[in-house]
Amino acid sequence: MSFRGRLIFLVTGLVTVAVIITAGVLGWNTRQAMLEEAREEGVLLAHVLSRTAALARSVPDEVETVIGQQMIAQALLTAHFVDAAEQAGFSREDIVERLKMLVKDSTLDEFWVTDSNGRVYLTNLGVEFTFSPDVKLQPQASAFWPLLIGKKKTVIQKARKREIDDRHFKYTGVGGVDKPRIVQVGYDAQLLKELSDKIGLKRMVSELLSGRDINAIWVLDKSSKTIAHASVFGSDINPKPSAGELGAIGEILKTGETISFLSEDSLTIVAPVSDEDGQFVGGTVVRLPTNDLQKVLQTQVTVALVVASIVIAVGFAMSNLLARHITNPINRITQAASDIEDHTFAAASLDSVALRSDELGGLARTFRTMAHEVQTREEYLDTQVAKRTAQLEEKNQELEIARKRIDDELEIAQAMQQAILPATFPDHAHYSGFATMIPAREMGGDFYDFFPLGDDRFGVVIADVSGKGVPAAFFMGVARTTLRAVALRGLPPGECLEEANTKLCSTNPMELFVTVFYGILDSASSEFRYASGGHNPPLLIKSDGEVEFLPGTSGLALGIMEDMPYKDKTLKFGNGDTLFLYTDGITEVFDPEEVEFGETRLTACLKDTQLMSPQAQAVKILDTIEKFAAGAPQADDITCLVLRYGETGQEDTTHTPTKASSQHLEITLKNDLAEIAGLAEHIESFSEAHGLDGGVVFNFNLALEELITNTVSYGYDDDKVHMIKVTIALDGSQMRAEIEDDGHPFNPLEDAPEPDLDADIEDRLIGGLGTHLVKTFMDDVTYTRNNGHNRIVLTKTLLLAAPKEKDQ
Amino acid sequence: MNLQTEQSGNTTIACPAGRLDSNNAKEFEASLLGLIADGEGNVLLDFSKLDYISSAGLRVVLMAAKRAKIAKRKLALCMLSDNITEVFTVSGFTKILDIHNNRETALAAF
């Protein structure tokens, strides 16, 4: 959640909580206030009711008492009138008539006058009735019997329903004036009842209920008997006072305090009712509806919700604005930081933020200052880096130049080391030979040498200087020159080594030494005289193919100690015997498993090679040790010299046609482009001998050159001498050429690109043209790879007009 | 190899002789490109004394043609032997190079 989101969430949340709490508190307070109001109203009501109840009880009683006393007076008057009238001799009818008039004009309604036996003989109702003392027979009238027997003078009876017609009547009576009798007057007490009703509790309750918003009122006496009750709804909704309410009445009768409680849909107030003396005589239960309360609460909640919504909306908007106000500058500063990284920062982009007076403004100002410093520092560093880079580049170039110069010089030195060694054995009728030195990466100190000493004698040297590098190379030069200078004076090998040793010892500041084998072949006598200065003995390959070591001549390596003796030994060469001189660079080749090539393998490899040319023998050994090393780097110089004694027919040692029969020419070339001209000569003389067309010769020369150039240029990645065998053969009307080499697998028919013969001068590429020429000029070209050798066979049919066949 | 040159009016005539193969192509390249870079006017390669040419020699001729074009010098060839003509034809060089039978027509065509 982003800062802005959090801020909005926080503010809106706080506002919401505040509104909800406020609305809740307000609602609660309102509810409590309303409840309190209702309770007070209920209490007031209960008090009014209690007062009313007392009043309604006392007023009709007092009125009845007054009426009762009046009726006694009227009954007495009636008694006196009857006495007086009877004594005056009024007739019974006359008396009744007079009394009826009295009733008619007064409040009295009835009069009953009995004789001494209780039989009514004067009445305005014309009904026969006799009083009896029997309460059961006459529950109302029997109360007047004591008047007849003189026990009471007056009887005032409370207004009540009479047995005969259920009418509400009040009766009072007095005894007779003249004789025992009952004089009773009756008063229709309906008025009293109406009075009671008019001022009574029930009416009060009804009026209270109709005039107010009250569900029900109950007035109960001490024994929970209902005195008055009124309700708006049926008893289902306003049932009789519940056990709880009745219990509350019991409670308030003891304490006199009002209790109120809220039930599901109404507020019930229970208050005591007291009489005039303050005695609690009952209680009122008033149920007030709470729907108003609910309505008010609902309104409150609705209002609160509306207000809350508005406040929240406003709060959201405000907090959004506030958040924007805060986050916008932060975003600007963040953008500015990223701009600094991209080097696109402009100080003006923070101006509006920096003008603020709050913390963000402060941050922006600090940031701007800091950014400026960073930019300045970065620019300074950039220029420094550029300067240093340029300096470094300059130094690198100088170093590169220096390195290249050293490399070049080392290369030249190495080339010179090679160049000072004689390349070609002299053509001689009785001996031939081949020598090669393959230097290791580092400059080394191997060398070989050969030189004629007069017509018949021929000296051969092989040597190995201790150590490596430039000192060894120098010492090699010195050793070779010294040895050659001494040897050319014709001294025997032993003496020669002795003298050379003494000279080398005096000019050897680096304490180096050199092992030397030196021998002189006398071709006239076939004797080979030799001496060795600590060098490993050469191998002799006899004409029957057997190989043996030359007997050693115990001599110390040259350059160690002056005046050492070196003994000679002499060997008698047989015709076809070959001497193989070598340095330990050959025997000490290691394969990847660290196994040494050794003398045993070397001996085995040379066995039965007596018919091979000296060069082929050397190449065989070089090939074998290369395969043995299986890619392991060459640690030491590899040097060998092969000397063959016997009739040679004065072979050319560079190109060695081993077989030049009339139909067949075999040539072995070194991997050197300089060999190509010689090859061409051979082919030309072969062609001349067979009267071949110049065009065919041209084509074959061209095809062979193209393929051999490929092999020489790209076929090898070492500096070693490799042999390429070329065979030319004539077979009827077909001429055939074969090239065999031990270079990398390369099929020129597939691997060379096809040239675009139609491109303009600017776009013409030279690649692939050679192969194209070969394919065009030859009838058939095949490539095979066998035993680590590439073999290409070229064939072309010879026609009378052969050279022109493709010239369209 | 020996590269003899002679001047004929505005044209430098170079006459390679003998063989032009992978062994001496470098030498020929140095001589011919040097000649094109240093001099002025037209260049005519007279192949009358050239016996043999391989792709290595063709490469030098092509490079010479490109350099001449850049140097705004005209380059033509003349007196190609049958064998050499065949090599040029097979290589497609006859289409992109100005080749004449003899010096006179070559010089006249510049």
Side-chain angles (χ1 to χ4, degrees):
Chain A
M1 202 182 204
S2 71
F3 174 71
R4 190 162 140 184
R6 260 184 286 174
L7 200 62
I8 292 170
F9 183 74
L10 182 73
V11 172
T12 313
L14 281 176
V15 168
T16 309
V17 168
V19 166
I20 286 169
I21 290 173
T22 310
V25 169
L26 274 177
W28 178 254
N29 282 347
T30 308
R31 184 173 174 278
Q32 290 306 105
M34 287 181 74
L35 271 177
E36 190 53 40
E37 199 186 313
R39 189 177 294 118
E40 278 169 12
E41 197 178 344
V43 169
L44 191 67
L45 212 61
H47 282 300
V48 168
L49 280 174
S50 72
R51 297 305 308 156
T52 307
L55 205 63
R57 236 187 350 262
S58 63
V59 169
D61 283 358
E62 281 165 17
V63 169
E64 194 177 342
T65 305
V66 171
I67 288 173
Q69 283 165 358
Q70 227 180 340
M71 283 174 76
I72 288 295
Q74 284 170 331
L76 275 173
L77 281 174
T78 304
H80 281 284
F81 169 69
V82 169
D83 175 41
E86 277 184 353
Q87 281 182 18
F90 281 33
S91 66
R92 184 179 152 253
E93 287 76 20
D94 203 12
I95 294 167
V96 168
E97 212 50 45
R98 297 282 179 114
L99 284 173
K100 275 185 179 174
M101 284 167 66
L102 187 73
V103 169
K104 198 181 167 189
D105 295 334
S106 75
T107 56
L108 286 180
D109 292 299
E110 291 174 7
F111 60 87
W112 304 82
V113 181
T114 69
D115 57 16
S116 305
N117 297 321
R119 192 181 59 88
V120 175
Y121 70 99
L122 295 170
T123 178
N124 61 326
L125 297 176
V127 181
E128 292 274 327
F129 184 75
T130 303
F131 283 88
S132 160
D134 193 343
V135 178
K136 279 185 183 164
L137 199 65
Q138 294 178 352
Q140 186 193 17
S142 64
F144 290 88
W145 187 259
L147 296 173
L148 189 68
I149 58 172
K151 270 195 170 176
K152 280 184 179 176
K153 291 258 171 86
T154 60
V155 172
I156 301 169
Q157 197 172 38
K158 278 211 140 232
R160 59 185 288 184
K161 265 188 223 165
R162 46 183 200 195
E163 291 89 355
I164 49 167
D165 60 0
D166 271 355
R167 290 182 63 187
H168 219 75
F169 259 75
K170 185 173 178 72
Y171 290 100
T172 59
V174 294
V177 179
D178 53 342
K179 58 180 178 181
R181 65 166 94 206
I182 298 166
V183 179
Q184 187 192 49
V185 291
Y187 171 71
D188 188 344
Q190 195 60 33
L191 180 77
L192 271 177
K193 193 176 178 324
E194 280 169 13
L195 179 72
S196 173
D197 280 352
K198 266 181 193 165
I199 62 165
L201 194 61
K202 285 178 184 169
R203 182 180 171 81
M204 186 72 188
V205 166
S206 297
E207 287 200 349
L208 278 174
L209 198 66
S210 64
R212 284 158 194 267
D213 201 0
I214 294 169
N215 272 4
I217 298 173
W218 297 80
V219 182
L220 301 155
D221 66 7
K222 276 188 174 179
S223 55
S224 298
K225 213 175 114 193
T226 304
I227 298 169
H229 146 246
S231 63
V232 174
F233 306 105
S235 58
D236 283 351
I237 297 170
N238 273 303
K240 282 185 177 173
S242 65
E245 287 167 340
L246 293 177
I249 288 176
E251 191 73 21
I252 56 155
L253 287 176
K254 282 182 208 155
T255 61
E257 280 176 13
T258 305
I259 294 175
S260 66
F261 49 86
L262 200 63
S263 63
E264 259 179 41
D265 52 358
S266 59
L267 173 67
T268 304
I269 294 141
V270 182
V273 174
S274 51
D275 59 9
E276 295 92 333
D277 306 328
Q279 293 294 310
F280 300 125
V281 293
T284 57
V285 175
V286 179
R287 293 199 192 119
L288 299 175
T290 51
N291 42 0
D292 274 2
L293 208 63
Q294 302 289 6
K295 240 182 256 172
V296 170
L297 269 178
Q298 237 160 25
T299 312
Q300 284 262 343
V301 169
T302 310
V303 169
L305 280 176
V306 170
V307 170
S309 306
I310 293 168
V311 170
I312 287 168
V314 171
F316 181 81
M318 292 284 288
S319 56
N320 202 2
L321 276 176
L322 180 70
R324 198 167 291 196
H325 190 63
I326 293 171
T327 55
N328 271 0
I330 292 175
N331 288 342
R332 286 271 191 81
I333 294 170
T334 310
Q335 180 59 42
S338 137
D339 285 351
I340 287 180
E341 212 168 310
D342 300 341
H343 299 285
T344 57
F345 174 72
S349 70
L350 284 180
D351 282 354
S352 59
V353 185
L355 285 175
R356 290 167 66 117
S357 57
D358 58 6
E359 291 88 339
L360 291 169
L363 177 61
R365 288 189 292 277
T366 312
F367 185 87
R368 208 164 49 175
T369 314
M370 195 191 74
H372 177 69
E373 280 170 18
V374 167
Q375 268 181 326
T376 315
R377 199 176 312 155
E378 217 161 86
E379 275 164 25
Y380 171 73
L381 284 177
D382 280 351
T383 45
Q384 285 297 102
V385 166
K387 215 157 89 185
R388 294 277 185 273
T389 309
Q391 285 174 349
L392 212 67
E393 216 155 285
E394 209 173 298
K395 289 272 183 256
N396 267 347
Q397 267 173 2
E398 282 170 17
L399 271 178
E400 183 60 27
I401 290 165
R403 194 190 62 80
K404 198 174 175 328
R405 204 179 61 223
I406 292 169
D407 277 359
D408 288 352
E409 282 172 4
L410 277 178
E411 212 169 288
I412 291 165
Q414 228 165 15
M416 275 182 67
Q417 241 189 323
Q418 286 268 31
I420 59 172
L421 302 180
T424 322
F425 269 63
D427 293 343
H428 197 277
H430 294 109
Y431 58 85
S432 60
F434 177 83
T436 186
M437 194 266 272
I438 303 165
R441 276 275 164 221
E442 216 179 332
M443 287 187 79
D446 275 15
F447 70 92
Y448 66 84
D449 203 356
F450 49 80
F451 32 82
L453 299 163
D455 287 343
D456 296 330
R457 296 207 309 155
F458 186 65
V460 289
V461 179
I462 192 154
D464 183 358
V465 173
S466 63
K468 284 204 179 75
V470 176
F474 264 103
F475 194 66
M476 170 254 183
V478 173
R480 184 195 174 246
T481 312
T482 308
L483 203 61
R484 194 177 246 244
V486 177
L488 285 176
R489 276 160 44 203
L491 296 174
E495 281 176 45
C496 184
L497 291 187
E498 224 174 288
E499 197 175 328
N501 176 43
T502 305
K503 287 191 169 173
L504 282 175
C505 284
S506 64
T507 54
N508 184 12
M510 303 293 287
E511 304 286 317
L512 293 165
F513 60 86
V514 58
T515 65
V516 182
F517 178 93
Y518 175 39
I520 300 167
L521 170 69
D522 186 338
S523 57
S525 65
S526 79
E527 270 184 2
F528 184 72
R529 196 168 173 187
Y530 63 94
S532 174
H535 198 83
N536 45 332
L539 284 159
L540 178 67
I541 305 137
K542 301 205 132 190
S543 53
D544 61 358
E546 287 305 313
V547 181
E548 59 187 42
F549 280 104
L550 232 55
T553 64
S554 55
L556 195 64
L558 277 62
I560 297 174
M561 199 180 288
E562 290 175 25
D563 301 326
M564 293 301 294
Y566 293 91
K567 282 183 189 158
D568 282 353
K569 275 197 177 158
T570 305
L571 167 81
K572 180 95 173 158
F573 263 136
N575 196 24
D577 282 357
T578 309
L579 204 55
F580 186 81
L581 281 63
Y582 64 97
T583 57
D584 55 11
I586 285 177
T587 47
E588 288 173 11
V589 163
F590 289 88
D591 72 1
E593 268 88 54
E594 298 281 309
V595 177
E596 199 186 54
F597 186 68
E599 289 166 351
T600 314
R601 282 192 187 79
L602 177 62
T603 310
C605 192
L606 286 170
K607 190 167 156 55
D608 294 329
T609 59
Q610 72 280 9
L611 294 178
M612 293 171 88
S613 70
Q615 181 174 350
Q617 284 173 308
V619 167
K620 186 185 179 192
I621 295 301
L622 298 180
D623 278 352
T624 307
I625 60 173
E626 190 188 350
K627 274 178 201 144
F628 183 79
Q634 183 187 334
D636 203 355
D637 295 346
I638 291 171
T639 310
C640 66
L641 186 152
V642 189
L643 179 65
R644 163 85 45 90
Y645 175 75
E647 298 296 325
T648 62
Q650 295 212 2
E651 289 169 353
D652 186 323
T653 51
T654 311
H655 316 294
T656 321
T658 49
K659 205 174 170 189
S661 73
S662 55
Q663 301 289 311
H664 193 224
L665 172 72
E666 206 178 296
I667 306 152
T668 308
L669 307 172
K670 283 193 213 168
N671 53 331
D672 184 346
L673 293 179
E675 301 271 82
I676 285 167
L679 172 71
E681 280 169 31
H682 277 288
I683 293 172
E684 263 155 36
S685 50
F686 176 83
S687 305
E688 258 170 50
H690 292 90
L692 293 176
D693 180 89
V696 174
V697 178
F698 187 98
N699 289 346
F700 266 96
N701 267 334
L702 182 68
L704 289 170
E705 183 201 324
E706 299 295 352
L707 295 169
I708 291 167
T709 302
N710 266 347
T711 302
V712 171
S713 305
Y714 311 115
Y716 308 99
D717 54 9
D718 55 26
D719 301 330
K720 295 174 187 168
V721 174
H722 292 270
M723 292 301 149
I724 300 165
K725 197 170 108 184
V726 180
T727 315
I728 311 283
L730 269 176
D731 184 13
S733 62
Q734 203 175 53
M735 181 158 169
R736 210 179 70 209
E738 273 183 38
I739 307 167
E740 205 177 317
D741 65 71
D742 60 348
H744 297 305
F746 179 76
N747 181 354
L749 305 173
E750 285 175 2
D751 300 341
E754 279 295 325
D756 179 4
L757 300 178
D758 297 323
D760 290 337
I761 288 186
E762 289 86 350
D763 303 329
R764 264 312 279 272
L765 300 172
I766 203 72
L769 197 49
T771 309
H772 173 70
L773 292 172
V774 172
K775 285 197 249 180
T776 310
F777 286 134
M778 292 296 127
D779 291 350
D780 188 41
V781 185
T782 58
Y783 167 85
T784 48
R785 173 93 186 167
N786 254 326
N787 295 328
H789 284 73
N790 296 307
R791 183 158 173 266
I792 299 171
V793 179
L794 310 169
T795 48
K796 191 171 173 73
T797 305
L798 305 173
L799 299 170
L800 286 174
K804 292 290 173 191
E805 88 211 59
K806 286 187 191 290
D807 193 353
Q808 296 154 10
Chain B
M1 85 174 296
N2 188 16
L3 184 64
Q4 285 186 342
T5 58
E6 51 191 278
Q7 196 69 27
S8 167
N10 191 25
T11 304
T12 307
I13 303 169
C15 307
R19 290 173 55 86
L20 186 45
D21 60 20
S22 50
N23 190 38
N24 59 14
K26 280 268 167 222
E27 210 180 316
F28 177 58
E29 178 185 330
S31 314
L32 184 59
L33 297 186
L35 187 151
I36 288 167
D38 299 337
E40 279 175 19
N42 307 320
V43 178
L44 178 61
L45 290 176
D46 182 340
F47 275 9
S48 55
K49 288 179 188 155
L50 192 67
D51 301 327
Y52 172 89
I53 190 164
S54 69
S55 67
L58 291 178
R59 178 175 163 275
V60 180
V61 173
L62 182 69
M63 282 177 73
K66 287 185 181 183
R67 296 289 174 87
K69 196 154 190 179
I70 292 164
K72 307 231 186 296
R73 302 181 67 176
K74 284 181 183 169
L75 183 134
L77 293 88
C78 68
M79 307 281 279
L80 276 63
S81 73
D82 287 350
N83 288 330
I84 292 176
T85 303
E86 192 183 10
V87 172
F88 271 64
T89 307
V90 167
S91 308
F93 275 33
T94 46
K95 286 185 263 180
I96 54 173
L97 294 169
D98 192 11
I99 300 173
H100 299 274
N101 284 334
N102 52 56
R103 278 198 190 191
E104 287 68 36
T105 50
L107 289 170
F110 275 126

